[in-house]
Amino acid sequence: MINSDFHIHTCYCDGKDVPENIVLEAISRGMKKIGFSGHSYMDFEGFGMSDEILEKYKSEINRLKQKYKSQIEILLGIELDYFSEVNTEDFDYVIGSVHYIKCGEKIIAIDHTVECFEQGIKECHNDVYELCEKYFETVSDVVNKTNSNIIGHFDLVSKFNEMKNFFDENNERYIKAYTKALNILLKTGKPFEINTGAMSRGYKTFPYPSKKILEYISAHDGSVILSSDAHQKENLMYKFDECEKICKSLNLKIVEL
């Protein structure tokens, strides 16, 4: 049974809880290891950690490492967006993620709101598959750009699709786009998140990535790491039991940091 979680957000970015309360929750659940992964800063959005906040975040996580070292192992991580420029030398690990794409001169938010996503489709010539193609083209370069240890929510572009049916995930263009990205990322040997964040927030009933994508990862000897993308302590290890069953059924290798 997996009892670690490495994608956790706190009040230092867009999470609800102070880190110490999350640590105490993890200890109460008997967790052996957790990793904090605050959002990196970008000058065109508002929930990443500024330089000043980032230093406070690092100091607090490092303080907690020492305070609770006899009870739980704590890692200092960061979720580094593709368009962010943050020095990651001080971190134990990096999650490489894509939350935005560029369409011409426009920056399009992939996962903020349904309305933002709808506007993004309009910016991509009213062609949702063009948006998806640009998204997966960007994702294909995320390890190269961020030097990440973990590939974050690979098909984040599907966040609102279960609610609104924006596109057909069996469409040939969509499959071709994600397959091309997968083939590039699989060569890096980095694990893909099985991320339950959209499930805990009510957007999806299946984690990222989709079952078809997980089948492809398994068939090509890729690995996965379970991740809650928790923004509050109650969602630590959210539905990891279900994820482990999915992995077993697909013969997927689960790794931990």
Side-chain angles (χ1 to χ4, degrees):
M1 181 178 178
I2 301 298
N3 64 354
S4 60
D5 195 343
F6 304 104
H7 194 153
I8 302 169
H9 296 285
T10 73
C11 62
Y12 284 96
C13 54
D14 59 345
K16 176 182 176 182
D17 300 301
V18 298
E20 189 156 14
N21 285 348
I22 296 170
V23 170
L24 293 172
E25 175 72 16
I27 291 170
S28 74
R29 297 191 190 194
M31 293 176 66
K32 300 301 181 185
K33 186 184 292 190
I34 60 169
F36 291 97
S37 55
H39 283 291
S40 62
Y41 178 76
M42 287 170 285
D43 57 11
F44 54 81
E45 56 81 36
F47 61 82
M49 297 181 290
S50 67
D51 289 345
E52 180 182 359
I53 293 174
L54 184 62
E55 290 306 312
K56 292 178 180 178
Y57 164 77
K58 290 192 291 186
S59 177
E60 176 64 1
I61 303 307
N62 286 325
R63 181 185 74 84
L64 296 173
K65 277 188 181 189
Q66 295 304 312
K67 181 175 180 178
Y68 294 100
K69 63 183 179 181
S70 65
Q71 297 171 272
I72 190 170
E73 183 177 355
I74 299 171
L75 300 182
L76 170 64
I78 188 168
E79 184 174 11
L80 185 62
D81 189 270
Y82 186 86
F83 293 105
S84 182
E85 302 294 338
V86 175
N87 187 321
T88 60
E89 291 180 356
D90 293 339
F91 296 94
D92 297 317
Y93 68 98
V94 174
I95 300 173
S97 295
V98 174
H99 298 93
Y100 302 88
I101 61 170
K102 286 186 177 179
C103 188
E105 297 300 313
K106 296 285 187 177
I107 295 175
I108 296 169
I110 293 299
D111 68 324
H112 280 198
T113 65
V114 169
E115 292 74 23
C116 285
F117 192 78
E118 289 174 333
Q119 181 61 35
I121 296 171
K122 292 178 182 178
E123 299 291 348
C124 287
H125 309 102
N126 283 314
D127 183 351
V128 68
Y129 295 106
E130 180 180 339
L131 183 150
C132 292
E133 287 162 350
K134 290 181 181 296
Y135 170 78
F136 283 117
E137 182 180 3
T138 308
V139 171
S140 72
D141 191 48
V142 74
V143 172
N144 176 59
K145 176 66 163 54
T146 66
N147 194 30
S148 58
N149 308 92
I150 299 170
I151 299 164
H153 35 55
F154 174 78
D155 58 347
L156 182 67
V157 72
S158 69
K159 177 175 178 177
F160 304 116
N161 205 42
E162 194 170 324
M163 298 167 55
K164 296 283 285 187
N165 195 27
F166 283 110
F167 56 89
D168 180 3
E169 294 185 32
N170 293 311
N171 179 276
E172 183 178 347
R173 287 175 65 188
Y174 184 76
I175 293 172
K176 183 178 179 181
Y178 77 62
T179 301
K180 184 177 180 181
L182 284 172
N183 289 338
I184 293 170
L185 292 171
L186 283 162
K187 292 177 183 178
T188 70
K190 305 297 184 180
F192 294 79
E193 280 188 327
I194 292 186
N195 181 312
T196 61
M199 295 174 71
S200 65
R201 292 188 282 280
Y203 295 107
K204 292 170 70 75
T205 56
F206 194 88
Y208 309 110
S210 69
K211 186 176 180 182
K212 279 196 171 184
I213 292 173
L214 289 176
E215 288 172 347
Y216 193 92
I217 292 170
S218 178
H220 292 79
D221 298 319
S223 61
V224 296
I225 187 166
L226 303 191
S227 163
S228 70
D229 202 345
H231 286 64
Q232 58 190 55
K233 64 182 186 296
E234 291 81 5
N235 288 337
L236 288 174
M237 300 192 301
Y238 186 81
K239 292 192 180 294
F240 276 18
D241 53 343
E242 294 184 16
C243 293
E244 289 189 66
K245 291 176 183 177
I246 292 168
C247 291
K248 185 175 181 180
S249 71
L250 299 178
N251 197 30
L252 267 167
K253 179 185 178 182
I254 303 174
V255 300
E256 298 183 75
L257 293 178

